[in-house]
């Protein structure tokens, strides 16, 4: 179900921060903790833009105005559309969707990027609160555990992900 800035189904519920457009809370039935790390800045799927080479001095978040629209109310499919201005972009549209009976959240981010000749970076952050998590990436032709299955000195600037990333623990 979608109501205002909240989505839920029988397995999970989440809330969108109305200032940043990020997921500020993610609860999963049977887990007695919020899966968003409140000790980190931002939330899940938070847009970050860095102009220049020093990420500490240039980190910026979406600018106002932002609108959150219920695209699908549920009960089978519930979708929120978050539309905002964003640094380095003509516009940013994020869709957050849950489907009844499924235990995951679908995210679709559409970035209408501006031309920029100076060094820059556009990122979406995911500060999860999953103690002792093991990360697995569906890479081309293999499932890879980040850090463990990589050679020392390997490039960690990016990962080629096929379809999914899994962060899980007991």
């Amino acid at each position: 179900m979608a109501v205002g800035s909240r989505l839920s189904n029988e397995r999970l519920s989440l809330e969108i921060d109305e200032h940043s457009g990020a997921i500020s809370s993610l609860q999963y039935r049977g887990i007695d903790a919020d899966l968003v790390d409140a000790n980190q800045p931002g939330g899940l799927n938070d847009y970050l833009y860095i102009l220049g080479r020093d990420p500490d001095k240039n980190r910026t978040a979406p600018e106002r105005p932002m609108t959150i629209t219920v695209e699908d109310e549920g009960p089978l499919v519930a979708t929120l559309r978050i539309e905002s201005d964003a640094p380095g972009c003509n516009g940013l549209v994020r869709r957050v969707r849950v489907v009844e009976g499924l235990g995951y959240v679908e995210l679709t981010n559409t970035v209408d990027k501006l031309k920029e000749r100076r060094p820059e970076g556009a990122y979406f952050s995911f500060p999860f609160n999953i103690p002792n998590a093991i990360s697995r990436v569906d890479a081309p032709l293999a499932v890879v555990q980040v850090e463990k299955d990589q050679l020392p000195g390997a490039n960690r600037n990016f990962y080629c992900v096929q379809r999914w990333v899994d962060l899980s623990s007991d």
Side-chain angles (χ1 to χ4, degrees), residues 136-152:
R136 293 176 185 87
V137 175
D138 179 26
L141 304 175
V143 174
V144 177
Q145 284 189 32
V146 176
E147 300 296 332
K148 180 180 177 187
D149 294 334
Q150 293 176 282
L151 296 172

Side-chain angles (χ1 to χ4, degrees), residues 107-145:
L107 302 173
T108 304
N109 298 326
T110 304
V111 180
D112 184 359
K113 186 74 185 68
L114 291 169
K115 287 183 182 179
E116 178 59 64
R117 299 212 182 264
R118 295 171 289 177
E120 66 171 345
Y123 306 93
F124 290 93
S125 68
F126 294 90
F128 281 103
N129 175 30
I130 304 174
N132 304 313
I134 295 173
S135 60
R136 293 176 185 87
V137 175
D138 179 26
L141 304 175
V143 174
V144 177
Q145 284 189 32

Side-chain angles (χ1 to χ4, degrees), residues 3-165:
V3 178
S5 60
R6 297 173 185 241
L7 286 177
S8 64
N9 67 15
E10 65 186 17
R11 294 187 181 193
L12 55 88
S13 63
L14 64 89
E15 184 169 356
I16 304 294
D17 181 292
E18 295 182 8
H19 297 288
S20 70
I23 299 170
S24 58
S25 175
L26 176 60
Q27 302 281 327
Y28 195 89
R29 308 277 189 272
I31 298 176
D32 190 28
D34 196 318
L35 297 176
V36 177
D37 188 347
N39 295 320
Q40 298 296 320
L44 304 180
N45 203 35
D46 194 12
Y47 174 79
L48 305 174
Y49 180 74
I50 300 169
L51 182 59
R53 297 196 184 273
D54 188 347
D56 293 329
K57 292 183 180 175
N58 294 299
R59 181 180 169 163
T60 57
E63 300 165 357
R64 291 191 179 202
M66 177 175 10
T67 58
I68 300 175
T69 307
V70 175
E71 283 193 334
D72 301 306
E73 292 179 4
L76 180 59
V77 176
T79 308
L80 293 177
R81 175 188 168 105
I82 302 115
E83 190 169 358
S84 64
D85 293 333
C89 301
N90 287 313
L92 170 64
V93 176
R94 292 176 274 185
R95 283 187 174 83
V96 182
R97 173 179 291 153
V98 297
V99 177
E100 191 61 34
L102 300 181
Y104 59 84
V105 179
E106 292 180 20
L107 302 173
T108 304
N109 298 326
T110 304
V111 180
D112 184 359
K113 186 74 185 68
L114 291 169
K115 287 183 182 179
E116 178 59 64
R117 299 212 182 264
R118 295 171 289 177
E120 66 171 345
Y123 306 93
F124 290 93
S125 68
F126 294 90
F128 281 103
N129 175 30
I130 304 174
N132 304 313
I134 295 173
S135 60
R136 293 176 185 87
V137 175
D138 179 26
L141 304 175
V143 174
V144 177
Q145 284 189 32
V146 176
E147 300 296 332
K148 180 180 177 187
D149 294 334
Q150 293 176 282
L151 296 172
N155 183 352
R156 289 170 173 79
N157 292 339
F158 61 90
Y159 295 94
C160 295
V161 178
Q162 292 290 350
R163 295 164 292 182
W164 52 265
V165 174

